[in-house]
C-alpha cells in the first residue's frame, strides 16, 4: 500500500490545474491520455470542453486566453492529437498568447520504438512553443506544470507544452503546491521590474520638443493588462498626441476617440500610415515593427526619432533601429511617464500640435474608408458597419477568420476596450475564429460573441459548430459570403493579371441547412433590404447562429499598401494604379 | 569548418559578416542543444563551430561556445534570441567584453613517406610548440592548442609539405571573459 500523500501523475496534473485556478480545459481524448480523462471523470472543479478536432482545442484555448487575460489550457493525445495542434501553437507563439498544452505520450519504455501513435512531440513543437517539456519522472511533474504556467504568462506570453508519457500518468509521487515552488529567475524571463527613469525623462523631453509626434501601439499593450490601456488613455489626453494601433492593438485605445487614427499597416487608414511616414517622433508601445505594418523598410518613417517600449528584448532593433528603448513592462513604464509629467507639472497646453493635427485632418478628408452602398447587393464594408451599429451597445467580443472580412472587421468595427478583438495576426490562420469564439464564449458566458468569417475560412474548422451546440454556446458566425477566397482573389487581380487560379470557392454548402443539420440556427441576408433584420434576428437568438450574408463578390479591401511599397504609396481604390517597379519587387513578398 | 555548402546562405547574414564567438551558459537539460541549434537553423544564422560541455556538475550547468558569422545587428539579434530560451542563463559575445581569452585544441595525425617530410613536420611542430601524442614509423600525432588563427596557420604550413596525408579534428574555439 503506497503512502496516502502520494498521487498518480494524472491526479497531480488535476491538483496543479486547480492550484493554478484553471476551471476550463479544451480537449480530445485518446489512448495516451486515458488516465488523465479518468481523473477528469471523477471531479467537478474543471469543466472539460470536448472539441471536434484538436485544432479546435488550441484555438479555443487562445480565444479563452485573449478574452479573459488568463492562461488557456488544452489536453490532447499523442501522435495525431498533438500534430493537429501545431498550427495553433505557432499561432499563439506569433501572437504572444499564453496557453498551456498537455499532451499524452506513449509509455516511457516505448519512446523511440516507433510505437503506435508515437511522435517526437517535443521535437516537433520545439520551434513553435515558448518552451516545452517531456516529463519522464513523476516526481518532477508538479514543479514542471507550475513552471509551465509561469512561463506561459510571464514577460512576452506564449504557448508552453508538457508531454506526459502514459506510465508517468499512472506513477505515484507527492504533490507540490504552487506556493511551495521557488522559480529560478533566469528561466522565467519576466522582464525588468525597474522602470528606466532615463528613458522616461528623454521621452518627455522629446515629446515637448517634437512637432509631429505619434503613438504606435501594438498587442504588447494588451498583454500588459487593462491598466496599460488606462495609462495610455491618460497620457494621450494629457499630450493630445495622435495614436494609431496595429491589428492587435485595436481596443487598447477607444477606436472612436478623436485622437485615434485607427489601424495602420497594409490595410490601415490613410491618415495613420501617412502620419507614421511623416512624424518626427514615434512612440512604439508594445508593437514589433512587423512587415505588415512597416511596408518597405528603407522608406519607413524616415525622419522620426523612435522610442520603443517592449518587454521582449529581441523585438528591439530587429527590423527597425530605434533611438531609445526599454524592456520594462508597459503598464509600469506608462505609469511612470504619467507621474513624471504630473509631479514636474509639465504642461502640454501650449503644445497642442495644431499644425500636425491640421495636416492629419487634411489626410482624413480623403475618407479612405468610404464605400458606395447601392440599393441591392450588400457591400461587405456595410455589413460590418451595420453589425457594429447594431451590437455596439452590447457587451461584445469579436473573433475573426483570415482574409478580406478580417481586414474589413478591423476597419469598420470599432473597439473601445482591450481583449474584445480576437484575431490571428502573425500567422494568419484560417479556421481560427470559430473555435476562438467557442473559447471566448466559455470565458464570457453572458456576452455576445461573434465570429466575423469568410466562407472559405469557416469551412476549415466547421466541425466546432457541434461543440458550440453541445455546450449551448450561443456564438454567432457572421459570414461575409463572397464565394471567393477574397483576399487571394484580390492579390490575383492586383498582381497576377486577374488570373483567378483556384480562388473560387465552388460547391459551397447551404449554410442555413448546414446550421440546421447541426441543430444550430441558420439565417440569411441576400440583399441590402434584409441586412438589418438578419443581424437583429441573429443577435436575438440565444443559440449558436450561422448568418450567411451574401456580399459583393468582387469587392476589394482598400486602402492597401502593396507588398514592397512604402506607407505613402498606398492605393486608395481600384482606380489607383501601383508603381510597376514596386509591383515586380512586391510580387515575391508575401 | 567549411563554409561552402550546397545550401544557399542567407544573404543578410553575410553582409559585412564578422566572426563572433558567443559564450552561452545554460541549464544542462534534455533538448537544450537542439533548442540552440534549431534557433540558428530556423532563423538562418550560421554555426561555424560549436562546443558543449558541462562546467558545473553540482548545479548542472553547461557552457556552450558558438562561433558564428554575421553583421553586428544579426549578432545582437542572435544574442537576444538565445537569451529568450528558458534554460539559458546568459549569452555573451566575447568580442564585446573588454578582455577575453580564446583557445582551441586540435589533434593532427600525419602520415609521411620520407625523412625530408619528417624533418619539415618536426620543424613546424617545434615552431608551433605542438605536443607529440604518438609517433611510430611513418605516423605522427600532434596536439596543438591556441587561438583558432594559430591552428589555421600551423595547418597552412603543413600544407606546404607535399605528399603527406593529414587527418585532423578540432574542438572549435572556447573562450572566457577575464
Ligand atoms: C490555413 C490557411 N491557408 C491559406 C491561407 C491563405 N489565405 C489568406 S486569406 C485566404 C482566403 C480566405 O477566404 P475567405 O475565408 O472566404 O475570406 P475572404 O477573403 O473571402 O473574406 C487564404 C486562402 C491562410 N491564411 N491560412
Ligand atoms: Mg470569401
Amino acid at each position: 500500500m503506497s503512502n496516502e500523500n502520494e498521487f498518480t501523475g494524472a491526479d497531480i496534473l488535476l491538483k496543479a490545474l486547480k492550484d493554478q485556478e484553471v476551471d476550463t480545459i479544451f480537449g480530445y481524448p485518446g489512448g495516451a491520455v486515458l488516465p488523465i480523462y479518468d481523473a477528469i471523470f471523477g471531479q467537478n472543479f474543471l469543466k472539460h470542453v470536448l472539441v471536434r478536432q484538436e485544432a479546435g482545442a488550441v484555438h479555443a484555448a487562445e480565444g479563452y486566453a485573449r478574452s479573459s487575460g488568463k492562461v488557456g489550457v488544452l489536453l490532447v493525445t499523442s501522435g495525431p492529437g498533438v500534430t493537429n495542434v501545431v498550427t495553433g501553437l505557432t499561432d499563439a507563439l506569433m501572437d504572444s498568447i499564453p496557453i498551456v498544452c498537455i499532451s499524452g505520450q506513449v509509455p516511457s519504455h516505448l519512446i523511440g520504438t516507433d510505437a503506435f501513435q508515437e511522435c517526437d512531440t517535443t521535437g516537433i513543437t520545439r520551434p513553435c512553443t515558448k518552451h516545452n517539456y517531456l516529463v519522464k519522472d513523476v516526481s518532477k511533474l508538479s514543479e514542471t506544470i507550475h513552471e509551465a504556467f509561469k512561463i506561459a504568462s510571464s514577460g512576452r506570453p506564449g504557448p508552453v507544452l508538457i508531454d506526459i508519457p502514459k506510465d508517468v500518468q499512472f506513477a505515484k509521487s507527492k504533490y507540490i503546491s504552487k506556493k511551495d515552488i521557488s522559480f529560478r529567475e533566469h528561466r522565467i524571463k519576466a522582464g525588468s521590474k525597474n522602470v528606466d527613469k532615463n528613458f522616461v525623462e528623454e521621452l518627455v523631453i522629446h515629446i515637448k520638443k517634437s512637432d509631429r509626434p505619434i503613438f504606435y501601439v501594438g498587442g504588447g499593450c494588451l498583454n500588459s493588462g487593462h491598466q496599460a490601456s488606462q495609462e495610455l488613455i491618460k497620457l494621450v489626453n494629457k499630450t493630445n498626441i495622435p495614436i494609431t494601433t496595429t491589428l492587435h492593438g485595436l481596443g487598447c485605445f477607444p477606436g472612436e476617440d478623436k485622437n485615434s487614427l485607427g489601424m495602420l499597416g497594409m490595410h490601415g487608414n490613410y491618415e495613420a500610415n501617412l502620419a507614421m511616414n511623416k512624424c518626427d517622433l514615434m512612440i512604439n508601445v508594445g508593437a514589433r515593427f512587423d512587415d505588415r505594418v512597416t511596408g518597405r523598410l528603407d522608406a519607413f518613417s524616415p525622419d522620426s526619432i523612435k522610442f520603443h517600449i517592449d518587454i521582449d528584448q529581441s523585438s528591439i532593433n530587429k527590423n527597425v533601429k530605434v533611438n531609445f528603448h526599454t524592456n520594462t513592462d508597459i503598464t509600469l513604464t506608462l505609469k511612470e511617464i504619467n507621474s513624471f509629467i504630473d509631479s514636474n507639472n509639465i504642461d502640454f497646453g501650449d503644445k497642442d500640435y495644431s499644425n500636425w493635427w491640421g495636416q492629419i485632418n487634411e489626410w482624413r478628408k480623403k475618407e479612405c474608408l468610404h464605400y458606395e452602398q447601392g440599393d441591392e447587393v450588400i457591400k461587405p464594408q456595410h455589413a460590418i458597419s451595420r453589425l457594429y451599429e447594431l451590437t455596439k451597445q452590447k457587451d461584445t467580443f469579436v473573433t475573426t477568420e483570415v482574409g478580406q472580412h478580417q481586414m474589413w472587421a478591423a476597419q469598420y468595427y470599432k473597439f473601445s476596450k482591450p481583449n474584445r478583438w480576437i484575431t490571428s495576426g502573425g500567422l494568419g490562420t484560417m479556421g481560427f475564429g470559430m473555435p476562438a469564439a467557442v473559447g471566448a464564449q466559455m470565458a464570457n458566458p453572458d456576452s455576445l460573441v461573434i465570429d466575423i468569417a469568410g466562407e472559405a475560412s469557416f469551412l476549415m474548422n466547421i466541425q466546432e459548430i457541434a461543440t458550440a451546440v453541445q455546450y449551448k454556446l450561443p456564438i454567432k458566425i457572421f459570414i461575409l459570403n463572397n464565394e471567393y477566397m477574397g483576399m487571394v482573389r484580390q492579390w490575383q487581380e492586383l498582381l497576377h493579371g486577374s488570373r483567378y487560379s483556384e480562388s473560387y470557392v465552388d460547391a459551397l454548402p447551404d449554410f442555413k441547412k448546414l446550421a440546421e443539420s447541426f441543430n444550430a440556427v441558420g439565417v440569411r441576408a441576400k440583399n441590402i433590404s434584409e441586412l438589418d433584420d438578419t443581424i437583429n434576428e441573429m443577435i436575438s437568438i440565444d443559440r449558436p447562429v450561422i448568418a450567411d450574408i451574401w456580399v459583393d463578390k468582387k469587392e476589394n479591401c482598400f486602402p492597401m499598401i502593396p507588398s514592397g511599397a512604402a506607407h505613402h504609396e498606398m492605393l486608395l481604390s481600384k482606380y489607383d494604379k501601383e508603381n510597376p517597379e514596386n509591383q515586380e519587387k512586391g510580387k515575391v513578398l508575401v | 569548418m567549411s563554409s561552402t555548402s550546397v545550401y544557399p546562405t542567407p544573404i543578410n547574414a553575410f553582409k559585412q559578416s564578422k566572426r563572433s564567438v558567443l559564450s552561452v551558459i545554460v541549464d544542462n537539460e534534455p533538448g537544450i542543444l537542439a533548442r540552440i541549434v534549431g534557433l540558428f537553423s530556423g532563423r538562418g544564422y550560421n554555426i561555424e563551430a560549436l562546443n558543449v560541455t558541462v562546467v558545473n556538475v553540482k548545479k548542472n550547468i553547461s557552457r556552450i561556445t558558438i562561433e558564428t558569422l554575421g553583421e553586428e545587428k544579426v549578432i545582437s539579434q542572435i544574442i537576444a534570441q538565445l537569451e529568450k530560451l528558458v534554460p539559458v542563463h546568459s549569452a555573451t559575445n566575447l568580442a564585446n567584453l573588454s578582455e577575453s581569452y580564446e583557445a582551441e585544441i586540435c589533434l593532427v595525425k600525419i602520415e609521411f613517406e620520407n625523412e625530408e617530410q619528417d624533418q619539415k613536420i618536426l620543424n613546424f611542430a617545434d615552431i608551433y610548440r605542438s605536443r607529440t601524442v604518438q609517433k611510430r614509423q611513418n605516423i605522427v600525432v600532434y596536439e596543438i592548442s591556441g587561438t583558432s588563427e594559430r591552428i589555421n596557420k600551423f595547418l597552412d604550413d603543413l600544407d606546404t609539405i607535399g605528399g603527406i596525408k593529414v587527418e585532423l579534428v578540432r574542438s572549435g574555439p572556447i573562450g572566457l571573459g577575464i
Side-chain angles (χ1 to χ4, degrees), chain A residues 373-379 526-528 550-553:
Chain A
Q373 172 61 57
D375 34 55
E376 184 58 35
V377 182
I378 302 170
K379 286 286 180 188
K526 291 184 189 158
N527 55 49
I528 191 72
W550 291 9
V551 297
D552 189 345
K553 295 176 192 176

Side-chain angles (χ1 to χ4, degrees), chain A residues 194-379:
Chain A
N194 302 321
V195 177
D196 182 347
K197 297 253 157 96
N198 185 48
F199 177 91
V200 169
E201 212 173 311
E202 285 289 349
L203 178 60
V204 174
I205 292 170
H206 277 84
I207 293 178
K208 269 297 237 187
K209 274 203 304 213
S210 80
D211 296 317
R212 302 184 308 280
I214 188 167
F215 281 106
Y216 153 42
V217 177
C221 189
L222 192 79
N223 277 327
S224 179
H226 283 213
Q227 216 194 330
S229 112
Q230 293 307 314
E231 295 293 334
L232 181 67
I233 293 170
K234 265 194 226 161
L235 183 56
V236 171
N237 287 342
K238 270 195 221 288
T239 56
N240 195 31
I241 295 177
I243 167 169
T244 177
T245 69
T246 66
L247 182 70
H248 279 313
L250 292 173
C252 288
F253 189 81
E256 290 198 322
D257 189 279
K258 65 176 181 28
N259 284 60
S260 169
L261 307 187
M263 182 174 75
L264 83 163
M266 182 172 273
H267 293 289
N269 286 349
Y270 184 74
E271 54 270 32
N273 284 332
L274 273 251
M276 283 291 274
N277 186 253
K278 300 288 188 244
C279 69
D280 66 356
L281 173 66
M282 179 188 298
I283 309 160
N284 175 338
V285 183
R288 59 186 177 91
F289 294 109
D290 173 71
D291 56 74
R292 279 290 179 279
V293 155
T294 61
R296 201 173 77 226
L297 269 180
D298 59 9
F300 175 71
S301 194
D303 304 321
S304 58
I305 291 181
K306 298 175 182 72
F307 281 72
H308 192 177
I309 311 172
D310 204 308
I311 197 106
D312 176 10
Q313 172 84 47
S314 73
S315 286
I316 310 273
N317 293 330
K318 180 172 67 180
N319 301 331
V320 170
K321 188 141 183 58
V322 297
N323 305 81
F324 297 89
H325 66 85
T326 176
N327 290 125
T328 306
D329 175 57
I330 288 169
T331 305
L332 294 178
T333 305
L334 292 181
K335 225 173 162 170
E336 179 66 25
I337 297 169
N338 279 323
S339 68
F340 182 85
I341 292 173
D342 293 346
S343 62
N344 289 291
N345 287 319
I346 299 170
D347 181 21
F348 293 91
D350 57 327
K351 270 232 89 132
D352 58 1
Y353 308 109
S354 53
N355 287 341
W356 182 222
W357 276 111
Q359 171 69 77
I360 288 169
N361 288 331
E362 281 305 309
W363 291 327
R364 276 178 166 162
K365 281 188 194 148
K366 281 259 184 185
E367 294 191 43
C368 67
L369 294 182
H370 177 78
Y371 59 88
E372 300 280 348
Q373 172 61 57
D375 34 55
E376 184 58 35
V377 182
I378 302 170
K379 286 286 180 188

Side-chain angles (χ1 to χ4, degrees), chain A residues 99-260:
Chain A
I99 57 176
V100 169
C101 174
I102 314 288
S103 58
Q105 181 57 280
V106 301
S108 305
H109 72 277
L110 290 180
I111 290 179
T113 66
D114 300 316
F116 177 63
Q117 293 194 328
E118 179 188 0
C119 73
D120 176 6
T121 298
T122 47
I124 291 171
T125 59
R126 196 172 290 123
C128 61
T129 50
K130 193 173 168 189
H131 193 58
N132 64 12
Y133 307 84
L134 169 62
V135 184
K136 289 185 169 164
D137 175 355
V138 68
S139 71
K140 301 271 166 58
L141 187 58
S142 326
E143 182 189 334
T144 304
I145 297 166
H146 294 309
E147 187 181 87
F149 274 82
K150 186 82 181 163
I151 288 171
S153 56
S154 299
R156 179 174 174 178
V160 177
L161 178 140
I162 309 170
D163 201 26
I164 313 178
K166 195 168 182 181
D167 56 318
V168 176
Q169 300 169 29
F170 281 122
K172 287 191 162 186
S173 175
K174 287 203 170 57
Y175 171 67
I176 307 168
S177 73
K178 184 176 149 191
K179 63 174 194 328
D180 293 329
I181 304 246
S182 49
F183 297 111
R184 285 177 289 162
E185 207 175 313
H186 75 274
R187 297 175 64 86
I188 307 302
K189 326 269 177 197
S192 165
K193 288 274 171 289
N194 302 321
V195 177
D196 182 347
K197 297 253 157 96
N198 185 48
F199 177 91
V200 169
E201 212 173 311
E202 285 289 349
L203 178 60
V204 174
I205 292 170
H206 277 84
I207 293 178
K208 269 297 237 187
K209 274 203 304 213
S210 80
D211 296 317
R212 302 184 308 280
I214 188 167
F215 281 106
Y216 153 42
V217 177
C221 189
L222 192 79
N223 277 327
S224 179
H226 283 213
Q227 216 194 330
S229 112
Q230 293 307 314
E231 295 293 334
L232 181 67
I233 293 170
K234 265 194 226 161
L235 183 56
V236 171
N237 287 342
K238 270 195 221 288
T239 56
N240 195 31
I241 295 177
I243 167 169
T244 177
T245 69
T246 66
L247 182 70
H248 279 313
L250 292 173
C252 288
F253 189 81
E256 290 198 322
D257 189 279
K258 65 176 181 28
N259 284 60
S260 169

Side-chain angles (χ1 to χ4, degrees), chain B residues 21 51-52 63 65 94 101-105 148 171-176:
Chain B
V21 177
N51 179 288
V52 191
R63 189 188 278 270
T65 313
L94 291 183
Y101 180 77
E102 226 186 79
E104 180 176 359
I105 187 163
S148 305
S171 65
I174 54 172
L176 264 187

